[in-house]
Amino acid sequence: MTVTMAACAPLPATGPRLATGDGPGYEAGGNAIPDTADRPDWLAPRSDLAWRSCAGGRAPGIPEATTVECSLLGDTPVVRLTSTVTPADAAPLVVVAGPETPAETIAARLASSGPELVDARPLVVVDHRGRTGPAGACLSFPARRTLDQLADRGTDPGSPELRGDLADTSQSCTDQLQGRELQFGSAGAAEDLERLRLQWDVPGLALMGIGTGARTALAYASTHPGRLSLLVLDSPAPAGGDQETHARAALDGSDAALRLWAASCTRAECGPGDADEKVQAVTRALDRARDPGATVPAALLSDTIRSALTDLSGASAADPSRGDALLGDLVAAAPGEIPTSVRDRAADIAGTSLPYVAGCSDLAQRVPVNRVEELRAEWAQTPPFGEILAAQLSACSTWPVPGESPVALPPDVPVLLLGGIADPRAGAAALEPTAGALTAAGAAEVRSVTWGAPGSRVVLHSDCARTAIVAFLDDPNAAEELTACPS
């Protein structure tokens, strides 16, 4: 679920502490050392986690040559991928998942997408903090319905009734989190990465943040700059806590991604009709969902469609992606029909409260209530997502407000940035402005990989991008400054 939000809230809470109770200068070997000023060495773990077979067995599509193992960092799930040819002494790449997608799902997709990365070194996927605790399950049924129905026709974002319902929504979680509400944003999740470094007893980590997981990677770079060896950011969602900026990026990227997908996806799985007919079918489905009592309410259906738009295969892929198929099912459905694939994905999104808790906890600058109605009128000119995304700006209006957390990058750490041409979270044509923002935050040089397709999480869809990542990890200084990968 993509959360976009608003308004007045309590004063900022204090930031999260390291889950172990030890400060960031604690050394696993027993000696307290400060963050180093120079870029730290990237080494294999000296003291590893206790890895075991994952519960639930092997996910479909994972090659037989790939080994999947699970562990825990406190309560945070961690998944390791290796293959029969992964060098035993290679330093692992830490893959940082966002709150929307569990680590086991990201790991399965990485394993099935291609062997380039896992054959080169171990991949260790760290879930977002809170997946298995109350932060992942705190929304009551009425609270969930309040969020899902924010975009229903006739809903007044400033009405006392809605304000009361939103207060009850946040309280359904804050009552269970008991003063820890803000520990599940990117800053709190970053401390799990530091806990991993301490457990491994290594000088630094190489991180790959994917989507909203990039916020956690950037938070780690900002709070532990002397512990970052390399940084890869794949389709990073906007960092910083400006809610309106996040929502505008989501609107521009979602609109562009839908139209580019409709024009470029000619597979049978993408549904009947030309590009305009596909867009019109999605628009009609969202418009019908705004009627009170719809099977899948508009806000939830919009989140479901936009989730599919992050997972597009690209024109040159041999097979359609799950996102292609879900959108195609919706396009092909009879008027008023909600396909099974859409219902199932909507149920998955509604089944976890972590995106709500984590997303709210990262917003330091909220959109005021009176501004929500202004944006809804303005963004109505950008169907089908405009009015719905504007209405969702109210979702976090009663959640505690975090303090400002500006992004700061150490200048000696190599950075690789990957992005497509239209991303429902990062925005449309977001690569160049994102690279500029990273440079402004302190990065001395940002190498880029462009993917000529709409969507997100490029590493899951492009073997060209995976090859570019391997080259960057092997020798950042020798990697290409700009790599263009076909759609």
Side-chain angles (χ1 to χ4, degrees):
M1 178 182 66
T2 301
V3 186
T4 48
M5 312 119 194
C8 305
L11 293 173
T14 57
R17 295 174 61 87
L18 188 63
T20 58
D22 301 307
Y26 174 77
E27 171 68 33
N31 298 317
I33 59 172
D35 277 359
T36 58
D38 299 324
R39 175 187 164 200
D41 293 332
W42 182 26
L43 304 175
R46 299 167 182 162
S47 176
D48 212 342
L49 298 171
W51 298 104
R52 63 186 185 281
S53 297
C54 299
R58 195 177 191 84
I62 297 178
E64 287 298 323
T66 301
T67 299
V68 185
E69 300 166 292
C70 290
S71 190
L72 288 172
L73 276 171
D75 295 327
T76 300
V78 187
V79 183
R80 181 172 68 176
L81 299 175
T82 54
S83 78
T84 53
V85 299
T86 306
D89 59 348
L93 174 65
V94 178
V95 181
V96 188
E100 296 83 7
T101 310
E104 60 184 15
T105 301
I106 290 288
R109 294 292 303 276
L110 283 168
S112 60
S113 63
E116 297 87 354
L117 282 170
V118 72
D119 282 357
R121 61 188 64 254
L123 303 181
V124 176
V125 186
V126 179
D127 211 331
H128 193 90
R129 175 182 286 195
R131 178 78 60 195
T132 59
C138 59
L139 286 173
S140 65
F141 179 77
R144 179 74 253 177
R145 295 295 286 176
T146 295
L147 295 177
D148 291 343
Q149 295 172 342
L150 279 174
D152 283 3
R153 222 180 306 274
T155 300
D156 179 3
S159 69
E161 294 80 10
L162 180 60
R163 304 300 301 159
D165 288 344
L166 288 171
D168 291 342
T169 295
S170 61
Q171 188 173 355
S172 71
C173 284
T174 57
D175 281 351
Q176 297 181 57
L177 298 177
Q178 299 180 343
R180 301 173 61 232
E181 299 90 347
L182 297 178
Q183 294 189 19
F184 299 97
S186 56
E191 291 309 313
D192 284 341
L193 301 179
E194 177 64 0
R195 182 174 188 172
L196 177 63
R197 186 193 69 78
L198 294 172
Q199 172 62 47
W200 279 350
D201 193 12
V202 294
L205 300 176
L207 304 180
M208 180 168 71
I210 300 179
T212 50
R215 291 177 182 161
T216 300
L218 288 170
Y220 186 80
S222 302
T223 55
H224 299 280
R227 299 305 181 197
L228 185 65
S229 300
L230 294 167
L231 181 62
V232 179
L233 300 173
D234 183 354
S235 312
D242 188 332
Q243 185 184 19
E244 187 169 332
T245 297
H246 292 188
R248 285 185 181 275
L251 174 57
D252 293 344
S254 299
D255 182 67
L258 175 61
R259 296 176 192 281
L260 286 168
W261 169 82
S264 62
C265 192
T266 57
R267 308 172 190 271
E269 292 86 354
C270 295
D274 61 20
D276 288 341
E277 290 170 325
K278 287 184 173 69
V279 173
Q280 288 166 8
V282 173
T283 302
R284 286 193 297 269
L286 282 168
D287 186 62
R288 285 191 295 267
R290 297 193 65 198
D291 294 332
T295 304
V296 179
L300 179 57
L301 182 58
S302 173
D303 289 338
T304 302
I305 293 169
R306 294 179 58 244
S307 172
L309 288 170
T310 67
D311 190 19
L312 304 178
S313 62
S316 62
D319 300 304
S321 69
R322 300 172 192 179
D324 291 325
L326 186 150
L327 293 168
D329 290 346
L330 189 62
V331 167
E337 177 189 352
I338 301 296
T340 300
S341 59
V342 177
R343 289 173 182 261
D344 290 346
R345 181 59 184 140
D348 287 343
I349 290 172
T352 174
S353 56
L354 186 59
Y356 167 75
V357 173
C360 292
S361 298
D362 276 340
L363 290 177
Q365 300 176 42
R366 308 281 171 85
V367 175
V369 172
N370 59 353
R371 178 67 172 148
V372 174
E373 189 57 43
E374 294 175 3
L375 290 174
R376 190 158 69 173
E378 177 186 335
W379 292 357
Q381 308 305 312
T382 310
F385 301 108
E387 282 191 87
I388 296 173
L389 285 174
Q392 288 179 285
L393 287 166
S394 298
C396 289
S397 57
T398 54
W399 191 260
V401 180
E404 296 278 357
S405 299
V407 174
L409 294 175
D412 56 340
V413 172
V415 179
L416 179 67
L417 174 65
L418 299 90
I421 56 178
D423 188 320
R425 293 194 179 103
L431 196 73
E432 187 172 339
T434 302
L438 295 173
T439 301
E445 186 175 4
V446 179
R447 288 172 166 77
S448 299
V449 175
T450 62
W451 183 45
S456 189
R457 303 186 295 183
V458 180
V459 68
L460 302 181
H461 301 290
S462 171
D463 55 355
C464 164
R466 291 190 294 273
T467 300
I469 294 172
V470 171
F472 173 79
L473 298 176
D474 286 344
D475 188 350
N477 294 323
E480 297 287 338
E481 291 188 9
L482 175 62
T483 301
C485 291
S487 64

